[in-house]
């Protein structure tokens, strides 16, 4: 015992700060930076003047909307902390960050409503294999005891929550903590280092009980410690610290520290735990499958476009070292050249000449490099170490600049925003001629719009994207169409007889001809089909026509005046008159929807589905997700536009959904009239 961890890991570390929305992540980062001397004092989040509040959007909404990097020093070692947004709408920001971090500090509090959000974060850390420490924040305001709180939080964590500290109380008020490994008390002092004290006699029994529970959990992975506990032998402290470090690095336990970030309480013990127990970049390389240290390997964690410094690629140097002007290879073999290396502290940068393994730095002007990419000094590059897969968008709006002259400017600005946030998607809808921006919630896209209008000075108009309605027919009809025009010289003549029939749903369009005797020459049959297809782009109800069969059965031509264009016009006339007699009807897209929700909100979700004209197909427990359900339903696409707002409102901001096209269904009555009127057609 005492050699499992292999000693303390020195060198630069990268630590992600994650946790549910409003759990105190930014406050904790401020406290850390103040305690390590990186900033002169701790600024409260309410001041709008924290390191993470450098964007006007973060200040306006009092929430982190992007990952913020801050490098500081503690006891001679360099730490880079990354404050990751807590809202699920900005959760994808953390994925490229977490992959390249050594350890995560999960900030949580004694709030049962936030357990599902905490579970989402813990599951992501599990998926990425990132070790984590849980910082139980706001202990001074907690009503329940710490051990009761851990029982409440445990379902959110796949690894045991290992309590390393218990509160020290006086007259019912938390005044400090007792470290169970050191067996030492610490009395809190606001914004200052805690004062070391003896454990009060009244608390010794409580401390011994909690300490034994901690040792029992550690003994699950240390046979010698188990034997000592059974034989009631006091294990040496250095062996206990070794076990704590080994189990944290292996991810077999999640150590729990307590404090109140707002007052700077508990911060020093957290920093010392990171310094002594957390893994280093070598372990991160092994987890990511990076090649050995004989070459320089760099992982890009975030892209930032600054107002004056241009593009910055915030990156972790996983191995080797990196000098300014160094040439690096992308995974596809392309090359890029570093133009400036910077240490980050929020929006501020300090220029460096060299970065070594473990450093987290911003690299200047890597124009062809994107977030999540892996760069290396190996000629031709190495395979990517991570694969970024943004979740399916759940909210969208169509946007355009208020002034036409800004179209090119808007397009370039959105491209830069998509570089900074790979979870954004942009596409052009040819049917509606709309530019549609999609993301992960109403607030997500609101921030994008604010950046377009604020940072880029582009006034924007936005609205819900058009629903891709279609139309079809219920009846068959036969119709003649004749186009005849004489205007001097050659005239125009085309004459066709067509049969229009409905097809089964999903069949599309079929064209045939049963022409005999050459009444319509073969050279013009293709023109007839072209005219019909052109008409079907907009039917009598104003939408593209589907599931229709048209047969060219008869017609006539003129040896001199007939032409391709004349037969196209004749076909359009026949379709226009014939379709009106075919009982046209509107079709709307129906989507298959899969909603994931905490189980305690399942009844609310099931209740809202019929309100949106949905049909419930069933629901069941979400596999391997205790306390979660999956609800399956079909729902018109027209009802899905703002569905995510209602889902998040019903689930404390954590529910989500996936949707895929299922089928088209007839739409009649008032809703059909509204759809046609919105499209500029009378019912």
């Amino acid at each position: 015992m005492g050699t499992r961890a292999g000693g303390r890991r020195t060198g630069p570390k990268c630590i992600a700060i994650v946790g549910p929305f409003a759990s105190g992540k930014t406050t904790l980062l401020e406290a850390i930076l103040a305690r390590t001397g990186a900033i002169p004092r701790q600024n409260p989040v309410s001041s709008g003047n924290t390191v993470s509040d450098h964007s006007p959007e973060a200040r306006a909404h009092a929430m982190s909307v992007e990952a913020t990097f801050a490098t500081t020093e503690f006891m001679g070692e360099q730490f880079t902390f990354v404050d990751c947004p807590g809202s699920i709408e900005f959760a994808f920001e953390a994925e490229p960050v977490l992959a390249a971090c050594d350890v995560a500090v999960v900030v949580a509090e004694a709030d049962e409503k936030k357990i599902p959000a905490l579970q989402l974060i813990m599951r992501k850390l599990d998926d990425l294999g990132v070790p984590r420490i849980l910082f139980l924040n706001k202990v001074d305001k907690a009503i329940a005891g710490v051990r009761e709180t851990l029982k409440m939080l445990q379902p959110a964590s796949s690894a045991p929550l290992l309590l390393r500290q218990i509160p020290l109380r006086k007259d019912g008020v938390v005044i400090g903590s007792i470290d169970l490994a050191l067996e030492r008390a610490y009395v809190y002092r606001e914004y200052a280092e805690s004062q070391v004290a003896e454990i009060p006699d009244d608390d010794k029994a409580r401390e011994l009980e909690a300490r034994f529970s901690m040792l029992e959990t550690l003994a699950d992975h240390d046979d010698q410690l188990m034997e000592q506990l059974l034989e009631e032998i006091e294990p040496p402290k250095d062996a206990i610290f070794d076990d704590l470090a080994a189990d944290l690095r292996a991810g077999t336990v999640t150590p729990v520290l307590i404090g109140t970030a707002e007052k700077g309480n508990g911060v020093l013990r957290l920093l010392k735990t990171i310094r002594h127990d957390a893994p280093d970049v070598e372990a991160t390389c092994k987890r990511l499958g990076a090649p050995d240290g004989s070459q320089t390997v760099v992982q890009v964690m975030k892209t930032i476009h600054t107002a004056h410094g241009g593009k910055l690629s915030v990156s972790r140097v996983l191995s080797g070292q990196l000098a300014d002007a160094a040439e690096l290879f992308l995974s596809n073999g392309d090359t890029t050249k570093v133009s400036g290396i910077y240490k980050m502290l929020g929006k501020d940068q300090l220029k460096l000449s060299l970065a070594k393994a473990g450093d987290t730095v911003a690299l200047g002007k890597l124009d062809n490099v994107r977030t999540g990419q892996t760069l290396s000094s190996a000629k031709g590059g190495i395979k990517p170490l991570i694969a970024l897969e943004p979740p399916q968008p759940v909210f969208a709006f169509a946007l355009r600049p208020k002034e036409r002259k800004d179209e090119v400017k808007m397009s370039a600005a959105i491209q830069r925003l998509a570089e900074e946030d790979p979870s954004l998607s942009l596409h052009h809808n040819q049917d509606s001629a709309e530019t549609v921006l999609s993301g992960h919630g109403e607030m997500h896209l609101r921030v994008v719009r604010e950046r377009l209008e604020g940072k880029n000075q582009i006034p924007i108009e936005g609205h819900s994207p058009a629903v891709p309605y279609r139309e079809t027919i219920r009846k068959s009809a036969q119709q003649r169409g004749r186009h005849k025009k004489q205007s001097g010289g050659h005239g125009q003549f085309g004459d066709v007889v067509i049969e229009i029939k409905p097809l089964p749903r999903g069949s599309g369009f079929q064209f045939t001809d049963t022409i005999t005797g050459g009444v319509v020459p073969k050279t013009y049959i293709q023109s007839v089909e072209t005219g019909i297809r052109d008409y079907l782009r907009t039917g009598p109800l104003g939408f593209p026509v589907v599931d229709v069969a048209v047969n060219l059965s008869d017609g006539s031509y003129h040896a001199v005046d007939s032409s391709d264009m004349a037969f196209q016009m004749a076909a359009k006339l026949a379709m226009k008159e014939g379709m009106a007699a075919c009982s046209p009807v509107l079709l709307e897209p129906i989507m298959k929807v899969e909603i994931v929700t905490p189980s305690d909100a399942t009844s609310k979700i099931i209740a809202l589905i019929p309100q949106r004209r949905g049909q419930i197909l069933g629901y069941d427990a979400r596999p391997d997700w205790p306390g979660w359900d999956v609800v399956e339903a079909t729902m018109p696409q027209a009802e899905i536009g703002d569905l995510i707002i209602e889902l998040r409102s019903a689930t404390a901001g954590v529910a989500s959904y996936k949707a895929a096209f299922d089928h088209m269904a007839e739409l009649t009555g008032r809703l059909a009239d509204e759809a046609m009127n919105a499209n500029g057609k009378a019912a």
Side-chain angles (χ1 to χ4, degrees), residues 499 512-516 551-554:
E499 299 164 341
T512 57
D513 77 273
T514 53
I515 294 297
T516 58
N551 179 63
L552 174 62
S553 60
D554 201 359

Side-chain angles (χ1 to χ4, degrees), residues 27-36 42 74 79 81 135 137 165 177 188 191-194 257-274:
T27 302
L28 178 60
L29 176 60
E30 284 288 305
I32 288 170
L33 296 178
R35 185 57 52 85
T36 57
Q42 180 177 342
F74 176 68
F79 293 167
F81 290 92
F135 183 77
N137 195 20
Q165 298 170 319
S177 67
Y188 292 150
Y191 312 115
E193 185 176 340
S194 297
L257 304 175
I258 65 172
T260 300
E262 188 177 21
K263 299 175 181 178
N265 295 336
V267 171
L268 187 61
R269 300 315 308 166
L270 173 63
L271 286 167
K272 288 190 173 181
T273 299
I274 293 170

Side-chain angles (χ1 to χ4, degrees), residues 521-539:
K522 288 184 177 180
T523 53
Y524 296 136
I525 291 176
Q526 180 64 47
S527 302
V528 173
E529 181 180 357
T530 299
I532 292 170
R533 286 185 179 274
D534 191 42
Y535 172 82
L536 292 177
R537 292 175 184 168
T538 308

Side-chain angles (χ1 to χ4, degrees), residues 362-373:
L363 305 178
K365 299 181 180 178
L366 304 183
D367 293 333
N368 57 338
V369 172
R370 302 291 178 264
T371 299
Q373 289 186 322

Side-chain angles (χ1 to χ4, degrees), residues 425-438:
S425 69
L426 186 74
H427 75 276
H428 183 73
N429 187 325
Q430 292 186 337
D431 287 343
S432 61
E434 293 176 331
T435 298
V436 179
L437 188 68
S438 303

